[in-house]
Amino acid sequence: DTGVSQDPRHKITKRGQNVTFRCDPISEHNRLYWYRQTLGQGPEFLTYFQNEAQLEKSRLLSDRFSAERPKGSFSTLEIQRTEQGDSAMYLCASSSISGRAGEQYFGPGTRLTVT
Amino acid sequence: SQQGEEDPQALSIQEGENATMNCSYKTSINNLQWYRQNSGRGLVHLILIRSNEREKHSGRLRVTLDTSKKSSSLLITASRAADTASYFCATPPSGTYKYIFGTGTRLKVLA
């Protein structure tokens, strides 16, 4: 399967701990997005990369959240000093800059539970 | 508030019937997309319609876009139990890649 993969699929952490999630996009996709989704809501945009450049960030991506895409391939999302309000599903998506541009392919998500 | 807001929030129909859901948005856009989410397959892209298009078809799906009213509709014809899912519209405001999803329409198709 050559779709978007995310690791881990589930993460339980104690409040105040740091967590890091990884996303591996479809190999030929230049664009990569991170979203957060809570129960009953649609995905909420966090950040967007084109190749290795982080071009857009939500105000939600404050000092506790950081994302990187060091070589324009995989990406990591780190949350420092987690809070219970960070409990959510974190989704990664990728898309191509050409061809079917704009069509995002989503990974299965990482479900974070902060206790 | 959300850029895209779907209506109705929930919809229950019998298999074989058509399902229509609507999306409204607030700013000018380059395109609007519809996605489906169910527990088995996660979020899946259904169809993209560009701002200069008024209607688009894909299989049993028909999407319309009215930029003057800032609204879109998704019609699923001859629905099946497998269409049971949440449906979201997503729009990036013009000049951005900040895709904004609505809260979704939860469709239940009864066999």
Side-chain angles (χ1 to χ4, degrees), chain A:
Chain A
D1 188 281
T2 56
V4 178
S5 62
Q6 292 186 245
D7 183 69
R9 296 289 304 274
H10 303 274
K11 178 71 177 178
I12 300 173
T13 191
K14 292 186 187 303
R15 189 177 56 184
Q17 297 294 305
N18 299 344
V19 294
T20 300
F21 309 141
R22 177 179 169 123
C23 170
D24 286 273
I26 292 172
S27 58
E28 61 267 27
H29 284 182
N30 333 64
R31 295 174 174 165
L32 187 145
Y33 308 79
W34 283 100
Y35 296 88
R36 181 172 72 179
Q37 186 176 26
T38 54
L39 196 62
Q41 300 296 313
E44 190 171 29
F45 173 87
L46 292 178
T47 191
Y48 159 68
F49 290 86
Q50 184 163 307
N51 299 313
E52 67 275 11
Q54 187 175 25
L55 297 184
E56 296 204 62
K57 290 194 298 185
S58 164
R59 290 172 300 172
L60 288 172
L61 217 65
S62 63
D63 56 346
R64 295 191 304 109
F65 287 73
S66 63
E68 293 182 343
R69 195 182 182 198
K71 296 182 180 178
S73 57
F74 74 92
S75 176
T76 58
L77 177 70
E78 180 183 17
I79 309 174
Q80 296 182 327
R81 304 181 304 280
T82 52
E83 302 171 355
Q84 286 187 322
D86 297 331
S87 294
M89 178 73 86
Y90 289 84
L91 297 165
C92 175
S94 68
S95 70
S96 174
I97 202 168
S98 60
R100 299 177 74 112
E103 184 174 324
Q104 295 182 56
Y105 293 81
F106 280 82
T110 294
R111 183 170 296 283
L112 173 66
T113 302
V114 182
T115 61

Side-chain angles (χ1 to χ4, degrees), chain B residues 34-45:
Chain B
W34 285 91
Y35 288 81
R36 180 182 66 212
Q37 185 176 40
N38 58 32
S39 57
R41 291 195 60 195
L43 263 163
V44 175
H45 181 273

Side-chain angles (χ1 to χ4, degrees), chain B residues 9-81:
Chain B
Q9 290 187 345
L11 181 60
S12 186
I13 59 173
Q14 295 291 325
E15 205 165 30
E17 295 181 338
N18 296 343
T20 299
M21 51 205 86
N22 304 295
C23 166
S24 60
Y25 57 92
K26 294 184 169 63
T27 68
S28 61
I29 61 171
N30 292 325
N31 68 75
L32 183 144
Q33 302 179 39
W34 285 91
Y35 288 81
R36 180 182 66 212
Q37 185 176 40
N38 58 32
S39 57
R41 291 195 60 195
L43 263 163
V44 175
H45 181 273
L46 294 177
I47 195 165
L48 179 152
I49 187 166
R50 302 198 184 281
S51 58
N52 61 353
E53 297 175 311
R54 291 296 167 258
E55 187 171 313
K56 200 162 183 180
H57 296 254
S58 176
R60 294 185 295 113
L61 306 180
R62 173 178 167 255
V63 168
T64 62
L65 180 64
D66 187 335
T67 53
S68 67
K69 294 181 180 178
K70 292 186 167 59
S71 68
S72 173
S73 68
L74 171 68
L75 168 68
I76 304 173
T77 60
S79 62
R80 306 166 182 168

